[in-house]
Amino acid sequence: MWVTRTHSDVRAIAHYTGVLVVGIGLLMVLPLVTAAVLGEWAVAADYLAGLGVALAAGVLLMLAAPPGTRLSHSNALLVTGLAWLAATLVAAVPLALSGNYANFLDAAFDAMSGLTTSGLTVAQDLDHMSLAHNMWRHLTHLIGGQGIVVAALSFAIGLRGGAVSLYQAEGRDERIMPNVMHGARFIWFVTAVWVTLGTFALSTLNIVRGMSLVRGSLHAFFATVATFDTGGFGPMSQNALYYHSPVFEFITLVLMLAGTLNFNLHADLWRGDLREIMSNIEARALAINMGLLSLAVALGLTATQLFGTPGEVLRKGVYHIVSANTGTGHQTLYAPQWATDVGGLAFAAVVLAMAFGGMASSTAGGIKALRVGVIVKGIIQRVRVSLAPPSAVIRTRYHHITDQTLTDELLSGALLVFVLYVVTYISGGLIGAAYGYPAAQAIFESVSATANVGLSTGITSPAMPTGLKIVYMIQMWAGRLEFITLFAVIASAGLAFRRRKTRSL
Amino acid sequence: MRIRIALITVALVLAWPGSAFASSADARPLTATSILAGRAALDGTMVAFEGEAIGEMLHTSDDSVWLSVLSDGTALGVYLPEQLAEQIAMFGDYDTTGDTVRVAGEFRRACDEHGGDMDVHAVSLEVIAPGADREHPVEFWKLGLAAVAFGVAAAGTFYSRRRRLVVEGG
């Protein structure tokens, strides 16, 4: 049975979407202050306008229902889905005013890409973009990576009803702490520690190499946030290649791995308990996945003879496998090189790494190592059943936070999401090919968008067809919310439209 | 050592008046975009290209620096001795258009020395046009938009509070 929304449901949804929009708007104070401190007054005007538009839109939406209105589980799902769209539209306002985007759609593309921690960009003249605008672009990674709802919960801006439902609808189906609010705050605590450490290390490196204190520190913060939140934006058009530094690549490699770690495992690490990470199915699946794909990329690159030295295999092979697998998308290759220079095997390995993705309950995207691990366990169980006598009872156990038994329900849930990702990867690839791009590159770009990675073969550019920009935006949105939340939004919109049509007849 | 000898030889060839390379480079310098597009054919050859020096010089552990040169929408990394780069006065960023430089050197599609980075090992650099400050005047219509939006937000907040007071009071 399909449940249609009542007027009070719609009002509650609008109210909470408004709360989150106000929250996004208030965060624009940070780039506004950055612009004022750096004397970028024209940019400060962009953020003043952006802040005003966000507050106006948010307050008007909040008027739909009184504060404290209860939010049911299904309505929470819709709020989360819509919040990402609303946040994208609001976050795009100052970017659209920056002059670095051809139109509002391009600014919205980057806002969606930033919030979903994808990292694909259609910005123009990035090398001359202001530091304050770069601050906002990278903050979208921070906001989106930790989760818009988690951000709102952490700062307690008024989400009293249905907090647990909102939290789960954002793709965080695991509880790190018994209390959702404590869980949200723990996520921000872990993030603060890593961002501080990363910014300090990269600032030191940048300043030693000759960057000014301000630029060196801001670049370090941008790189840290883009890496720990597995985003992939960079303040320069060359992305990570701009720095030409193995030390930079090593530090970002560590940050990428930290960023893809399940927040539950961060909690164990914080407690000094290494046993969980050693026995966890997700950590094992990710380690095996990265190991095998690194081997494949090494073989592939060596075969090209272009990237044959150990240093090249490490810096161009392993770095990009980790970047792809963790969903970060930092690259030290030029986009056109993917199609022609790295060879077929390395290209395929990077596509697979992007498709599989990192860990659940982290900032990473893709199918996720936990699901891959569960599916592999399921296949092994089926083989064992087929070889065992008919009377035998075969049980498969695995460890993820606690000891668990593999059930048909768990397996079908993992397979459902796996299939949805694969169908979306292929569909986006077919659409890209229909626009005239080579099939392999179209698949690469589609996987990168859906798995929120950000590596690009060059298809993503300001000159890309408008239709394809919208397709990639939907893929980024769907991938970040792991489909079901977005489907709920679409189904509810469809039901509302059908009901209105029925009434008018 | 062999690389250094090769680079010195190349520098001498480039510096020789009327050399074939110098004349062809003078005639039609490449852009970073065209180098990227023709990377397979140009790999290991001497190239000359022009563009804007952007960002900053990034020092390495030896006496060399990395410079990024933006031309035709593509930025290309240039590895060169620090003395050569010192003549650059302005680097492009939000506030500045960097000096326009003409770089000549060996193009490497995947540099073995630098972990496979695509780069140009420069043997000469010349500033052919000075950079300039970029003006960014405040656009006052944006302040007007902000004022209207803050007004709407304030009115909405006032209405919400008033409605709550009415409900609580009544």
Side-chain angles (χ1 to χ4, degrees), chain A residues 163-289:
Chain A
V164 175
S165 304
L166 281 165
Y167 187 77
Q168 290 173 338
E170 205 170 32
R172 295 187 193 281
D173 48 358
E174 291 171 355
R175 301 277 288 277
I176 300 158
M177 303 272 168
N179 177 298
V180 169
M181 190 69 87
H182 290 166
R185 284 185 180 153
F186 178 75
I187 287 172
W188 278 100
F189 169 73
V190 169
T191 304
V193 169
W194 279 101
V195 168
T196 305
L197 289 175
T199 303
F200 176 74
L202 289 173
S203 294
T204 307
L205 176 69
N206 288 343
I207 292 163
V208 164
R209 294 190 69 203
M211 291 177 88
S212 68
L213 179 67
V214 172
R215 263 180 72 87
S217 306
L218 285 175
H219 272 234
F221 175 72
F222 299 156
T224 302
V225 166
T227 317
F228 181 73
D229 283 296
T230 65
F233 276 159
M236 305 300 284
S237 61
Q238 289 164 287
N239 201 271
L241 181 61
Y242 174 76
Y243 303 95
H244 294 284
S245 164
V247 179
F248 175 90
E249 287 161 29
F250 175 74
I251 294 170
T252 51
L253 199 76
V254 172
L255 288 168
M256 286 192 264
L257 291 169
T260 201
L261 210 60
N262 188 316
F263 280 106
N264 284 295
L265 296 181
H266 274 292
D268 288 318
L269 284 180
W270 185 249
R271 287 190 284 262
D273 182 4
L274 287 175
R275 283 171 303 172
E276 177 62 35
I277 203 165
M278 301 304 284
S279 58
N280 189 291
I281 184 177
E282 197 175 19
R284 286 180 173 185
L286 187 64
I288 292 169
N289 194 20

Side-chain angles (χ1 to χ4, degrees), chain A residues 42-43 46 52-53 56 59 63 97 127-128 130 209 215 238 241-242 244 306-307 312 316 334 336-337 340-341, chain B residues 39 52 54-56 58-59 66 68 75-77 93-94 109-112 115-118 136 141-142 149 163:
Chain A
V43 181
D46 296 343
V53 169
V59 167
L63 288 177
L97 297 175
D127 298 307
H128 291 105
S130 79
R209 294 190 69 203
R215 263 180 72 87
Q238 289 164 287
L241 181 61
Y242 174 76
H244 294 284
L306 192 61
F307 301 99
E312 287 168 343
K316 294 288 173 266
Y334 285 91
Q337 287 187 278
T340 54
D341 293 7
Chain B
R39 60 191 176 280
E52 179 193 352
I54 54 165
E56 53 268 295
L58 291 173
H59 294 263
W66 282 104
S68 285
L76 192 57
D93 60 17
Y94 175 69
R109 184 182 174 195
C111 179
D112 288 344
D117 289 356
M118 184 184 288
H136 298 285
W141 68 268
K142 290 176 184 173
R163 190 175 65 176

Side-chain angles (χ1 to χ4, degrees), chain A residues 2 219 415:
Chain A
W2 290 96
H219 272 234
L415 279 168

Side-chain angles (χ1 to χ4, degrees), chain A residues 430-498:
Chain A
L430 290 175
I431 293 169
Y435 272 105
Y437 293 103
Q441 288 164 251
I443 287 285
F444 187 106
E445 215 80 3
S446 170
V447 172
S448 181
T450 312
N452 304 132
V453 180
L455 293 174
S456 174
T457 58
I459 291 177
T460 302
S461 74
M464 176 170 60
T466 300
L468 201 52
K469 284 176 190 167
I470 295 168
V471 167
Y472 288 164
M473 284 174 76
I474 294 169
Q475 286 183 277
M476 291 189 276
W477 188 18
R480 177 61 182 83
L481 292 174
E482 300 194 332
F483 303 102
I484 303 301
T485 305
L486 181 60
F487 290 165
V489 172
I490 294 167
S492 295
L495 285 170
F497 178 73
R498 198 172 70 175

